[in-house]
Amino acid sequence: MTAAVRQHLKSYALITLGSVIYALSFDWFVAPNHFAMGGVTGLAQILHHLFPALTVGAASALMNVPLFLIGWKKIGGHLLVSSLYAMVVSNAAIDGLNLLFDFQPMDPILAALFGGGVMGFGLGLVFAQGATTGGTDIVAKLLKLKWPWLPIGKLVALPDTAVMLLVALTFGQLSAMLYGFIKLYTCSRAMDAVLYGVVDSRVAYIISDRWKELSGTLLRDQRRGVTLLQGQGAYTGAEKRVLMIAFKQKEIVDLKRRVYELDPEAFLIVCDARDVLGNGFSAYRREEI
């Protein structure tokens, strides 16, 4: 088996896992509590409510057809094939799990928080393989072409919000919409955590009169690159050197210790840093979502 085939099988295995997790979250947390669900699944909830013989999975599959055709033209064939697979698996799993298990309502806050987290994790696995589960996930991919700097989780939330309002009106419950917003928020955050990772990188700015000793120590002991920036005190007008260093969260205690051992009067600012590219950090990916 070639490396390409193994990678292809691994990709579809992750899509399958993510799709089943998505379906489990819907059946276990969302449907029993009648939360407002966004996207095509939310519209399918409405159709199932109006026409009980039409299952959520079947209604979702029917409404996805035009969206897949648009996505195929705009994004390409890989999205069509992999997303069709993800849609079939997720919709079949929604109906299958619902037949196998009788999921009961639970505390709505817990259901919204954990349901959103589990659903976001499943969607993140699917999106990470270049696929979608259909519906507004495809809309989010299309929006990503126009606004590539926005995280995919936030783009998914935009069309979902409009559908959730409609679902809340259909079920006649404001609480369904409010709990749905909690689920949507946790889903978005979990999805972005899977796709972009939890913030693990930091950047520090150090202002010290002993900048030469500090830069030498950090280069030698921390084994991180140090960049010298030119600064000037606004009050005194004195020239200052500012050290900038990117590092991992696990190194923060050692960094602080080394700085304050050399200069207790040093001024240190530590900030979160996303998408740090280069030696010792992440590599650039052209098709990153």
Side-chain angles (χ1 to χ4, degrees):
M1 186 183 296
T2 65
V5 173
R6 285 197 299 270
Q7 180 60 38
H8 197 66
L9 291 175
K10 178 183 176 182
S11 177
Y12 272 83
L14 289 173
I15 290 173
T16 303
L17 177 61
S19 299
V20 172
I21 290 174
Y22 169 85
L24 178 63
S25 175
F26 176 81
D27 284 341
W28 193 358
F29 299 106
V30 177
N33 289 279
H34 300 292
F35 292 158
M37 183 76 179
V40 167
T41 306
L43 295 175
Q45 277 184 294
I46 296 174
L47 291 177
H48 176 65
H49 178 73
L50 298 175
F51 310 101
L54 184 63
T55 66
V56 173
S60 178
L62 289 174
M63 288 186 288
N64 267 304
V65 173
L67 287 172
F68 272 109
L69 293 176
I70 296 172
W72 174 53
K73 288 184 177 181
K74 295 288 186 179
I75 304 174
H78 172 69
L79 176 129
L80 178 67
V81 175
S82 59
S83 296
L84 275 172
Y85 175 77
M87 182 196 71
V88 170
V89 171
S90 61
N91 289 333
I94 285 174
D95 290 343
L97 290 170
N98 193 46
L99 290 173
L100 291 174
F101 302 100
D102 182 22
F103 295 102
Q104 297 298 316
M106 64 178 70
D107 181 271
I109 289 293
L110 292 177
L113 292 173
F114 284 95
V118 173
M119 185 171 288
F121 178 74
L123 287 174
L125 291 178
V126 174
F127 268 98
Q129 303 307 311
T132 75
T133 56
T136 50
D137 296 351
I138 293 179
V139 176
K141 279 264 191 178
L142 296 172
L143 292 175
K144 186 74 174 176
L145 296 176
K146 184 173 180 62
W147 297 296
W149 60 88
L150 287 176
I152 200 74
K154 289 183 172 60
L155 292 174
V156 169
L158 292 176
D160 279 358
T161 300
V163 176
M164 283 169 56
L165 293 170
L166 186 59
V167 173
L169 291 174
T170 301
F171 288 105
Q173 293 182 345
L174 178 62
S175 61
M177 181 183 68
L178 298 179
Y179 286 126
F181 279 129
I182 296 174
K183 180 206 67 67
L184 181 62
Y185 175 78
T186 56
C187 179
S188 173
R189 293 299 299 266
M191 192 189 313
D192 285 342
V194 173
L195 291 172
Y196 310 116
V198 179
V199 176
D200 183 47
S201 299
R202 301 288 186 269
V203 61
Y205 298 93
I206 308 165
I207 303 174
S208 170
D209 292 331
R210 303 182 64 179
W211 60 269
K212 286 186 178 180
E213 296 170 73
L214 278 172
S215 61
T217 298
L218 296 175
L219 285 168
R220 182 182 64 254
D221 298 336
Q222 294 289 125
R223 296 184 179 180
R224 291 293 184 188
V226 178
T227 300
L228 293 176
L229 306 177
Q230 189 67 41
Q232 184 178 35
Y235 180 73
T236 63
E239 296 291 330
K240 295 284 185 180
R241 290 296 185 110
V242 182
L243 279 62
M244 184 182 74
I245 176 173
F247 60 98
K248 296 290 188 179
Q249 170 64 28
K250 63 183 180 182
E251 300 171 287
I252 190 168
V253 173
D254 195 42
L255 175 71
K256 288 181 177 180
R257 180 178 60 81
R258 294 185 187 281
V259 169
Y260 287 110
E261 280 180 352
L262 283 173
D263 184 5
E265 301 300 320
F267 190 75
L268 172 65
I269 304 173
V270 178
C271 310
D272 291 342
R274 286 189 178 272
D275 293 335
V276 181
L277 308 180
N279 186 32
F281 294 92
S282 302
Y284 170 70
R285 293 184 297 164
R286 182 178 180 86
E287 301 301 326
E288 185 175 33
I289 60 176

